[in-house]
Each structure stands twice: as structure tokens, then as C-alpha cells.
Amino acid sequence: MKRCLLTMAVGAVLLPLACTDARAATATAAGADVAAQPTTLDAMIVTGTRGSNRTQFDTLAPVDVFSQEEIQAVESTDLSDVLAQLVPSFVVQRLPMADGQVFVRPATLRGLSPDQTLVLVNGRRFHRSALLGSRGAQGPDLSQIPTSAIKRIEVLRDGASAQYGSDAIAGVINIILDDSIGSEFTLGASEYAEGDGSARRFGARTGVGLGQAGVLSLFLDYDTADATSRSRQRPDAIAFQNAHPELQVPDPVQRWGQPDLENRRLGFNLKLPFGQTAEAYAHGLYNSGEGVSDFNWRNPDGTASVYRPTAVFPGWDVRSLYPTGFSPKYGSDYDDLQLVAGVRGQFTPDLSWDVSGAYGRNRIEYTLDESINASLGPASPTAFYLGRLSQVEKNLNADFVYALPLAALPAPLNIAFGAEFREETYGVDAGDPASYAIGPGAAAGLAGNSNGAPGFGPDNAGRWSQRSHAAYVDVEAPVSARWNVGAAARYERFSSFGGTLDGKLSSRFEITPAFALRGSVSTGFRAPTPGQLYTTSTVQGLDTVTLQVFTSGRLSPNDPLARLLGARALKPEQSRTASLGLAWRNEAGLSGSVDLYDIKVTDRFSQSASFQIPAGVPNPMGYTSVSYFTNDFDTTTRGVDLVGSWVGDAGPGQLNLTLGWNYNRTQVDKGATSVATSQTQRVIFEERLPRQKGTFSANYDIGNWTVLGKLRHYGAWTDATGNATGDIFQRFGDMQFFDLAVAYRFNAGNSLRIGADNLFDRYPDEAVFQASRGLVYSRNAPYDTDGRNVYAEYRVAF
């Protein structure tokens, strides 16, 4: 078995890994081999424990480890897609034509909110995206992290707020960057069986030694992906064409599918020993990219708010610009930056320290082309700058670990303690005046704002900050050679709402050398972000019954109108988690674990029901309805994770069988879901994701050949779509996809891999209630609905 080292070489001294913000530092001996099988339970880990020499089999909570080889075996440069194939309880959606979520896709662990999973890079907190999703979730954008830079990924599947702070309700994803010496280049290409979605990728990494034990790794990724389309012509577009045979109406008039994307990612990872017992370290990641997606088609015969001739603009008609209607093009230009630097070392052989600082920033600028602000008439542009969102986070950490020898214990008592300061700032910059203007034509019924996505106006713009201070202590005690216990406590105080105290108790008992029982109980929290506390937004949609565009506003809970409608100040979500599991391994190559969990979340964050604007209240934005963020629900999530693997000889080669399966069910205990108008919220919490998700893979190595087959299973789920006149639902059944890849190694440094995801080109049932919009397959599906994707990848290492 391959093992990961938990020490770093500094001269002739081996230092234990120092604690970080996550108490999970990642330095390893230079050139250490870290490729571990995901369920090989003697793989060394650094997530979820502050002690050294922990393996997956030894941990007090379940931790999955995914090696560089497994990460690279998934055909995607988007880390969200990679994790969705590797982690059974991790789900990510495509969400075409869903505003900013087309580019920043929500991802969930154990069916909880995207911002209830903490993401770390090299043990340091990775910042959030600037986008707030449809239900207000503001989680990290995993697509910003280059997959070519990753050495391994560790996923802690347990509540861990007492160890890590806010957001770690569902678990922790720790991404370890590559620090090996050597170079690698990758060229890849893929295309869907329909002939669209062509993607190209170039990746490069090089690692050079610095002195006796230092390493500098540099990363570069460049990838592009063309749009896909799984659309039919809208019935109203067909009727419009029949009524106007002199016009050439595009077919289809709007595209449902993945956006055009281009990404440029680069970064570095550095460790530099100095003296005999200390080391400086740093890493940086930067991504710049852009994407374009379609919006709903505006029918000239049916969109009176745009195509209405008025006396305000005599002789002017939008038909002169868009005679066959228009589908606005929604663009996103984004850049993302994270910088971390620190120093760690030892005061004594038993006492280590780590001091670090981190800066993270995510910025998104939105544009809209092929549109109009009808209320401005002929003075309106057809292209708009909508404004910019930004999220900035700053962290300072001081962490210590003391191994206290006690005669009564078979091994030292591990005591970790430290403090953290965090500041996060959310910003909104206004767009072009024309993007939010209410022009003179509004009095005659012409719609204001850029049609499709109103820009951010001066009333939306601003900067809002929140600070927090935290202190923690974490103890792990080997009560006997077979029994370990752990206890952690963390107090954190936020400038916006006050303090919170959380704790965790965990235990592991080794029944035999091959079987171990483990369990934990913990409390947790997720603090509301400045973006959730203070910002407002406006979105436009299309009613699938009337085919009329409607405008919805999401107000800040502090907005006077929101207060009038019942909004209250946001407070943290609180959680209580209990888990119980069994891990096993044997000499025959069989290993695995099964873990039961129960997660109760109170004051869960969501979006309120939609309200009509009260009579007599000014409505300059022309809102059809408004809502606001609220702590409105209590839920219970129960489930089981099963992972297992077998590695052994099979004929002339070696076979590795891996199984990952998750059952997850969320139930609303109380909240506004008891009201009929909030039925959609109940469905969203309880049924929008499959209760079952599993993967079975077989990897066979024989000579220079490797064959990988993978079966992916998704359980049934329910789609919900909002209309101006109410919400509609559709139930979708189970789906299975089979992936196949074949690789050939020409020599130690050259290899070629050819494969196909969804080899049998399977599609789910059609979304019948969306047919009026030309949509064939649900945009909320928890899997790719574009069919078979064929790819090839050439890799050179030296």
C-alpha cells in the first residue's frame, strides 16, 4: 500500500504537522508518494485530526482520501464535477439559464446547503463566491481551483464546527496542493455525441527543489468549452413564424444547455525550511475567466411590455431592432484570487506552532447583450454592463499543538489550541445607468431596466463587512491501546450578531485489529454572511402558462418593505450532529466503512414566500412579487454512507473494485412549510435531490494497459419551478450511467487515455411542464443531461 507521510523534513529533524485554521497542515517530506486509494483505510490523513500518524482506519470520524490518479481519471476540469463522481453524498447541478448559477453551480454534501460545507486548501479556509444562489446560499466556487494542482483531496464526513468554525455542518473538504518535484503536461479534448460542447484543455505543473528540503510548485491550466443545446422550438415561436412567413425565425429561438466558458488558472505552492526547526510556506491560486449563456426569448406578438408602440416614442418600434424577437445573452466575467503565507515550527519536540495569514477575493462582473431597456425607447443601448459583485476575506491564525506525556496513557495526550481573526466584506458596484433606468416609456407600460437581468443601481451598491474572533481547544486522548477519545470546543464572536459556543465529543474503539467502532456528537453553526444580511437583487423569469415575463425582487431583511412584510434580523443556523460507524480491513485487500448520521439544523436559512406589493407602496422596479432571506425552517437529515474496496490479483493483472453509496433523507420539522403558499420550500428541502446516490467502479491494470469502468446511480427526485401564478412540480425516476475509459502507458512518462462518460447515451425523462419554453430536460437535474461525452487525454511527465 502507498502511504502519505505526516512529517516534514527540516535538516535532520522530523517535525509533526503544525495545526492551521483547519488544524490540518499539509506539508510532507519532499517527493513523498501520496497516491492512496479512496477507501484504503491505512492511507494517512491530516483532516479532522490534530494528532500525527492518523490513518483513515484510525480516525474518530469518517474521512475519504482521493489520490491524484483518481482525480485525474475524471473527465472534467471543474472540481465540482470531479467530487460529484468521487463522493457518493456530493451532488452538483448544471442549472442552465439560471442567471449566475449557470457559472457558479451549487454543490451539496449530504443534501445540506452549499454553504454548510467548509472548503479548505492546504488546510486553510477557501473564500466564498460573490454569488448568492437562488435560496441565498453563498458557498465557495470549487471550479476556481485547478485540478492539475491537486495532490489529493480529503473529505471529512462529519459535523466539525467545533474544530473548524462556521460552515462545517455537513463536513469539510480539504484540497491538498501538489508539492512533488518533477514536471507534467496534459492535453485534452472532448465532445458530446450531439456534436456540440467541444472542450479543449491544457495543463502544466512543475516542481523544483529549493535547498535541502524546500519545494516550489507552479501550476497552469487553460480550458475552453463550447455551449451545448438540448432545446426544441418553442410552440409560440412556431406560431409566430406561421403568422409572419416573411421573417426567418431562429430555430430554436433560445438555447437550453451549458454555457460557453473559458478559464485561465495559475498558482504556486511553496515550502522553504529555515534554521533547524522551522519552515516558511505559502500558496496562491488565481483564475480569470468568462462565460455566456442564453435567456428566455421575447416574442414580438406576446411581449407587450417591450413591443408596444406608444405616443411617448412616435414612429419607434422595437421590431425595427429585433423583428423576430430576442433572447438576451447573459455574460459573466470573473476573477478569483487566494494568497496564503505562514511560518511554522517547534518550540520543543513536544510543542509545535503555526502562524499564518490569508487573503481571498472573488469578483464577478455581469453583462447583457442583445437586449433593450424598452422604457428608454430609441435612446436605449442593446448591450449593458450590469455591475459587479465581490467577496473579500481576510484570515489571521495562530495555532499550537502540545503532545503531553502522561504515565497513565499509552501515548501522549494531544492538546491543540489557538485563535483566529476573520473579516469578510461583500460589495456591489452599480452597472451602466441604462441597465437600471426607468425611462419615460414606463408611464406607457414599457418595461424599465435592461430586459432579462436588471443592472445593479445605486440603491443596491455598497460595501458591507463582518468581523469575527475565535478561540478553540481540541484534545485527543489514547485511553488505552484500543480506545481513543476526543473533545473540542470553540467560541466565536461575530460583529453582526454576537457569540456562539460549539463542542464535539468523539470516540473510537478497536474491537479487533480488523474492526473498529467509532462515533461522535457535536454542535455546529453557520453564520449569515454580509451579502445575505444586507444586499438586494432583482431577477426576471418567464411564466410557463402565460409566457409573460415577470420580475421578482429579493430584499434585504433590513429593508423597510421587507420589515413591513414580516422580515426579521437574520441569526446563525445551529446544528446538532450524531454519527456512529464501523470501519474494517483485512489482509485479503478488503476494506471499508459504514457510517450512520443524524443532523438537525434549526433556524435554517432560506428565502421567504413571495409577496405582492401592498397597495399604495411605491414600486419603481415594477416587481411582480418580492421576498427576503429568513431563518424559517428546522430540518432533520438522516442517512448512511457505505464505502468499500477490494484490491488484489486477478489473472495476469491487478483489479481494484470500489463501491460508494449514500442514502440521505431530509425532513422539515417545522417552519413556514406548514403554510400552503410555501409548499415549494418543503419540496426543495425534502425532495429536490436524490435520496440515493452510488458509484461502483472497477479498475484493471495489466501490463501497460488500464481499463476503468464505472456505474453511477441516482435515485428519484422532484423538480420544482416557480411561476407568477404558482409553483409546479414533476417527479423524475432513477437514472444510471455507465462510464468507460482505456489508458495506455507508452513508457514511464507518456500515456494516452480515451473514454466516454454516459457511454450508452442515456437521457432522463423529459420535463413536460417546461415544453412551452423549449426545454427538453429539467435544468435542475442532479446530473448531466447532455448525453454521451467522448474524450481523449495525452499526458507527459518527466
Side-chain angles (χ1 to χ4, degrees), residues 1-26:
M1 299 294 182
K2 298 178 179 179
R3 292 180 177 269
C4 304
L5 299 178
L6 277 179
T7 56
M8 65 178 181
V10 181
V13 180
L14 288 178
L15 298 182
L17 282 172
C19 292
T20 69
D21 168 57
R23 263 58 66 200
T26 60

Side-chain angles (χ1 to χ4, degrees), residues 127 268 282-286 337-341 357-361 393:
H127 54 275
F268 73 92
H283 74 259
L285 297 173
Y286 177 75
L337 172 68
Q338 183 174 42
L339 295 172
V340 173
Y359 173 86
R361 183 201 70 207
E393 299 181 24

Side-chain angles (χ1 to χ4, degrees), residues 58-251:
D58 296 329
T59 57
L60 281 64
V63 179
D64 295 326
V65 179
F66 301 101
S67 70
Q68 189 175 60
E69 288 81 358
E70 291 169 300
I71 296 166
Q72 293 174 349
V74 178
E75 196 291 305
S76 179
T77 59
D78 189 327
L79 185 56
S80 295
D81 290 328
V82 173
L83 287 169
Q85 291 208 25
L86 295 177
V87 182
S89 61
F90 190 91
V91 177
V92 64
Q93 297 165 286
R94 281 287 182 193
L95 297 176
M97 210 181 294
D99 297 347
Q101 292 186 109
V102 175
F103 310 107
V104 183
R105 297 154 55 207
T108 67
L109 184 68
R110 288 184 164 179
L112 297 177
S113 175
D115 52 8
Q116 290 174 341
T117 299
L118 178 62
V119 175
L120 312 172
V121 176
N122 279 356
R124 304 316 194 272
R125 179 184 288 266
F126 189 71
H127 54 275
R128 310 176 195 278
S129 166
L131 177 71
L132 277 66
S134 61
R135 288 175 296 278
Q138 189 184 1
D141 182 6
L142 290 168
S143 68
Q144 303 295 328
I145 302 172
T147 56
S148 65
I150 300 174
K151 179 165 68 174
R152 71 179 186 275
I153 300 174
E154 299 179 355
V155 180
L156 169 64
R157 295 179 277 108
D158 197 29
S161 292
Q163 298 167 290
Y164 298 95
S166 179
D167 306 345
I169 290 178
V172 179
I173 299 172
N174 192 8
I175 298 157
I176 313 298
L177 299 180
D178 201 328
D179 60 357
S180 60
I181 295 175
S183 299
E184 186 174 83
F185 296 92
T186 304
L187 286 173
S190 65
E191 187 174 270
Y192 284 93
E194 292 283 339
D196 58 6
S198 297
R200 285 79 49 195
R201 176 198 176 190
F202 170 74
R205 188 201 66 82
T206 186
V208 296
L210 302 175
Q212 288 187 328
V215 176
L216 173 63
S217 292
L218 302 174
F219 321 111
L220 172 65
D221 263 12
Y222 174 78
D223 62 78
T224 64
D226 297 338
T228 62
S229 179
R230 300 295 176 269
S231 311
R232 293 195 181 107
Q233 184 66 302
R234 285 173 43 157
D236 60 333
I238 296 174
F240 179 80
Q241 177 69 87
N242 292 335
H244 302 276
E246 75 281 3
L247 299 177
Q248 189 67 37
V249 179
D251 186 4

